[in-house]
Amino acid sequence: MNTLLRHKGWTWGFRSTLLLYFLLLVILPLLGVYYHSFSEGWRLFVDSITDPIAWKAVSLTVRLALTAAIVNMLLGTMIGWVLVRCRFPGRSLLNSLVDLPFALPTAVGGLMILLLLGPASWVGKAAGALGFEIVFHSPAMIIAMVFVTFPFVIRAVQPLLEEIDPSEEEAAKTLGASGVRVFFQVVLPSMLPGILSGGMLAFSRALAEFGAVVLVAGNIPGRTLVASVYIYGEVESDNTAGAAAVSVLLLTLSFVILWVVNWVQTRGKSQ
Amino acid sequence: MNKLWITLTYAVFTLLLIIPLGKMTVAAFSGGLGELGAALSRPEALHAFMMTALVVVTVTLLNTLLGMMTAVYLVRGTWMSRGVRRLLNSIVDLPYAVSPIIGGLMIVLLLGPGSTAGVFFEQIGFKIVYAFPGMVIATLFVTFPLMVREVMPVLQEIGTQQEEAASTLGAYSWTTFWKVTWPSIRWAVIYGVVLTIARALGEFGAVLVVSGNIINRTQTATTLIYQDVENFNVTSANGAALVLAAFSIGLMLMMEWAKKRRGVH
């Protein structure tokens, strides 16, 4: 048994399996999308992207994702601070609840928001009576994105807050700074890398979100159709070139964000 | 002053997480247990849950083995130069940045009926896209970083001293792995498995594109929910969603419990 296990072939087998795994699972598929969108020349790529419906879908996605990321940066800063700094009943319960949106399937998240705000619910009825439109329009889509990306900023801010030396704040207070001033001049600057990298991750995730958004959006082309749903529609109608072109745009944007986040994090560590 | 912030935090949690979850639970039971049972015991619902279970089991097995191997090689694989390892290490994170829909599209482009590989597999009678293998590949792509990212930091932290000691004392590499490395990475692997199960259970976008969402053939629990909502059959969707939510919350609680026991976080 042992001689069989010690055979040199195992080593080579494992090493080639690993490289093949990377190649087949991640590298080839990614290159495939880039290749497919440019294979018929630049013209088709540019045409696919400048198609008014595609372009509107991308710009709507960017706007909504940006709004969701900003909402999350504000909420996340507040919640992260409260969960680390305040002692109150239910704190550890809330702290565990933060991860709920990551644990729940996105389709379930979308369904929950649809049920809560939909035309049959009292929120939906009240909004309808006041002339607001929530579900199938931007507000619900932003709520879905905020829900899905909720943990990012909180989880990025918490470790930074725990690291702050309390003596810095005490020093500021002794020197006569008010609570608000201490927060903005001492606490916030140390939280900032977390807020930014968490916000960017949330933005990138919101750009990519499909499950939650497709259920609560009206998916009307040019109005409430986001990029990922547009890509799905193009795949369903067999226009893979158009789908690939928009995918390339989104992918490049996400990769740049991922790269910037890594850069911010390594810079934060080295300082 | 702090009171205000605590109240606001409670308000956000209640509005964003607790009320929606409660509302869904209430809605699922609103027609009584009978209706919930009927929605869940539809043949297509049973088949969808079976598909989900199959995908979850296959993906968890594959991702655990291959993910552990990847982590070990990325940390310990001196046969690759440092540059190659750093490159592979950054590639590991790419699936996080890829929209699930695009993940699905990639597989359709690479292995679908329009591609060379797809035509080849079709000829030898093996269907990948719009069938079970494609769904597994799509889910594997999405869950790929989870295991690697849990195991890698632990491997880096424990260092190589103990393993070197073991092999100096004459232990074979398998023995070294089982007796020395495995006990220290065990918990990281368990977290990785829980995360993989949760993600595979809830995967929607990638599976929707790759599976084609064919009722009683390739439909999973999440794509069933989508189809029910599209057909304005929200009550049935609620039943399936409640089951999925219960599973995910159960997994989350298990994870919390494991973390508390280990005293991390």
Side-chain angles (χ1 to χ4, degrees), chain A residues 135-172:
Chain A
V135 149
F136 309 128
H137 290 83
S138 308
M141 292 153 82
I142 292 172
I143 293 173
M145 285 177 174
V146 169
F147 176 85
V148 170
T149 58
F150 184 65
F152 280 112
V153 181
I154 303 177
R155 289 300 185 227
V157 162
Q158 276 178 327
L160 295 177
L161 267 174
E162 271 158 12
E163 262 172 35
I164 301 179
D165 192 353
S167 62
E168 280 181 36
E169 277 171 74
E170 280 157 21

Side-chain angles (χ1 to χ4, degrees), chain A residues 80-115:
Chain A
W81 185 82
V82 168
L83 286 180
V84 173
R85 285 301 165 87
C86 302
R87 293 287 171 273
F88 56 95
R91 188 181 73 103
S92 68
L93 177 76
L94 290 192
N95 197 21
S96 314
L97 265 180
V98 170
D99 287 324
L100 187 70
F102 279 172
L104 281 180
T106 52
V108 174
L111 182 66
M112 276 167 26
I113 292 163
L114 184 65
L115 284 175

Side-chain angles (χ1 to χ4, degrees), chain A:
Chain A
M1 180 68 183
N2 258 338
T3 40
L4 196 71
L5 286 177
R6 274 162 58 206
H7 195 272
K8 258 249 157 15
W10 281 98
T11 319
W12 285 110
F14 274 154
R15 290 179 183 178
S16 14
T17 313
L18 174 80
L19 292 178
L20 258 179
Y21 186 52
F22 264 92
L23 198 68
L24 288 180
L25 193 70
V26 187
I27 302 173
L28 267 185
L30 274 174
L31 291 180
V33 177
Y34 279 83
Y35 173 76
H36 194 83
S37 66
F38 291 117
S39 60
E40 322 238 331
W42 271 97
R43 271 302 292 274
L44 191 70
F45 177 73
V46 173
D47 283 350
S48 306
I49 286 187
T50 47
D51 177 87
I53 293 176
W55 186 244
K56 274 185 186 158
V58 172
S59 76
L60 176 73
T61 315
V62 171
R63 266 182 290 140
L64 293 181
L66 206 60
T67 318
I70 291 170
V71 170
N72 255 331
M73 279 157 85
L74 295 174
L75 288 180
T77 310
M78 178 187 86
I79 294 170
W81 185 82
V82 168
L83 286 180
V84 173
R85 285 301 165 87
C86 302
R87 293 287 171 273
F88 56 95
R91 188 181 73 103
S92 68
L93 177 76
L94 290 192
N95 197 21
S96 314
L97 265 180
V98 170
D99 287 324
L100 187 70
F102 279 172
L104 281 180
T106 52
V108 174
L111 182 66
M112 276 167 26
I113 292 163
L114 184 65
L115 284 175
L116 191 70
L117 305 175
S121 71
W122 63 264
V123 180
K125 275 181 195 149
L130 289 170
F132 273 121
E133 303 194 88
I134 298 182
V135 149
F136 309 128
H137 290 83
S138 308
M141 292 153 82
I142 292 172
I143 293 173
M145 285 177 174
V146 169
F147 176 85
V148 170
T149 58
F150 184 65
F152 280 112
V153 181
I154 303 177
R155 289 300 185 227
V157 162
Q158 276 178 327
L160 295 177
L161 267 174
E162 271 158 12
E163 262 172 35
I164 301 179
D165 192 353
S167 62
E168 280 181 36
E169 277 171 74
E170 280 157 21
K173 271 188 194 136
T174 329
L175 292 171
S178 65
V180 179
R181 195 160 163 217
V182 171
F183 179 78
F184 279 104
Q185 295 204 324
V186 180
V187 182
L188 196 63
S190 348
M191 288 166 83
L192 207 59
I195 300 175
L196 285 180
S197 64
M200 276 187 283
L201 284 177
F203 176 66
S204 142
R205 177 68 206 273
L207 274 185
E209 184 48 37
F210 174 74
V213 174
V214 74
L215 287 179
V216 298
N219 302 324
I220 302 160
R223 293 199 31 221
T224 55
L225 186 78
V226 294
S228 57
V229 183
Y230 174 81
I231 296 171
Y232 176 60
E234 293 304 289
V235 176
E236 289 292 282
S237 53
D238 253 340
N239 175 17
T240 47
V246 177
S247 303
V248 162
L249 204 64
L250 277 190
L251 277 179
T252 314
L253 195 58
S254 304
F255 288 153
V256 170
I257 295 169
L258 191 71
W259 182 76
V260 172
V261 171
N262 273 338
W263 184 74
V264 168
Q265 278 170 348
T266 43
R267 233 184 66 135
K269 258 180 215 153
S270 64
Q271 269 177 357

Side-chain angles (χ1 to χ4, degrees), chain B residues 144-162:
Chain B
F144 175 61
L146 297 173
M147 180 60 78
V148 183
R149 283 290 170 252
E150 283 297 319
V151 177
M152 266 184 79
V154 182
L155 278 176
Q156 269 156 353
E157 207 171 289
I158 58 173
T160 49
Q161 279 189 0
Q162 293 182 358

Side-chain angles (χ1 to χ4, degrees), chain B:
Chain B
M1 191 59 191
N2 281 359
K3 278 238 171 72
L4 171 72
W5 298 120
I6 295 172
T7 321
L8 269 177
T9 301
Y10 261 109
V12 172
F13 274 93
T14 317
L15 284 177
L16 199 64
L17 303 175
I18 298 167
I19 292 184
L21 195 63
K23 172 94 183 176
M24 193 187 72
T25 316
V26 171
F29 286 107
S30 61
L33 271 178
E35 200 173 314
L36 183 67
L40 286 177
S41 56
R42 290 175 297 166
E44 60 262 39
L46 290 177
H47 190 274
F49 276 108
M50 196 192 71
M51 270 325 263
T52 298
L54 276 177
V55 170
V56 167
V57 169
T58 321
V59 166
T60 309
L61 280 177
L62 285 174
N63 192 43
T64 306
L65 288 176
L66 292 168
M68 254 165 64
M69 207 174 84
T70 311
V72 169
Y73 275 136
L74 283 183
V75 178
R76 300 283 150 84
T78 39
W79 50 280
M80 291 183 281
S81 74
R82 193 171 273 276
V84 173
R85 270 190 284 167
R86 200 177 294 156
L87 179 73
L88 290 182
N89 187 27
S90 51
I91 289 176
V92 170
D93 280 330
L94 291 187
Y96 280 147
V98 176
S99 166
I101 282 287
I102 300 176
L105 170 70
M106 293 188 326
I107 290 157
V108 171
L109 286 182
L110 200 68
L111 302 169
S115 69
T116 339
V119 172
F120 170 75
F121 281 117
E122 193 100 344
Q123 268 168 359
I124 60 170
F126 191 62
K127 227 174 158 224
I128 296 186
V129 168
Y130 309 125
F132 184 68
M135 293 156 71
V136 169
I137 298 175
T139 316
L140 206 54
F141 174 81
V142 173
T143 54
F144 175 61
L146 297 173
M147 180 60 78
V148 183
R149 283 290 170 252
E150 283 297 319
V151 177
M152 266 184 79
V154 182
L155 278 176
Q156 269 156 353
E157 207 171 289
I158 58 173
T160 49
Q161 279 189 0
Q162 293 182 358
E163 286 166 35
E164 276 161 10
S167 52
T168 322
L169 292 171
Y172 301 124
S173 45
W174 285 92
T175 328
T176 315
F177 180 79
W178 279 116
K179 294 272 162 86
V180 181
T181 317
W182 172 249
S184 33
I185 61 169
R186 197 175 48 201
W187 279 98
V189 173
I190 293 173
Y191 295 157
V193 167
V194 174
L195 288 176
T196 307
I197 295 176
R199 192 66 219 274
L201 198 67
E203 185 41 44
F204 174 53
V207 167
L208 180 66
V209 173
V210 170
S211 71
N213 202 7
I214 309 162
I215 299 181
N216 284 335
R217 294 261 314 279
T218 60
Q219 192 165 55
T220 64
T222 47
T223 56
L224 172 80
I225 294 174
Y226 172 63
Q227 202 194 3
D228 279 342
V229 173
E230 292 291 285
N231 296 341
F232 300 104
N233 193 355
V234 181
T235 331
S236 313
N238 275 333
L242 189 69
V243 174
L244 277 186
F247 263 105
S248 328
I249 293 171
L251 284 171
M252 199 178 92
L253 292 178
M254 244 173 73
M255 188 92 178
E256 284 288 319
W257 171 80
K259 273 185 182 159
K260 279 223 177 79
R261 259 201 62 179
R262 293 268 300 149
V264 230
H265 284 271

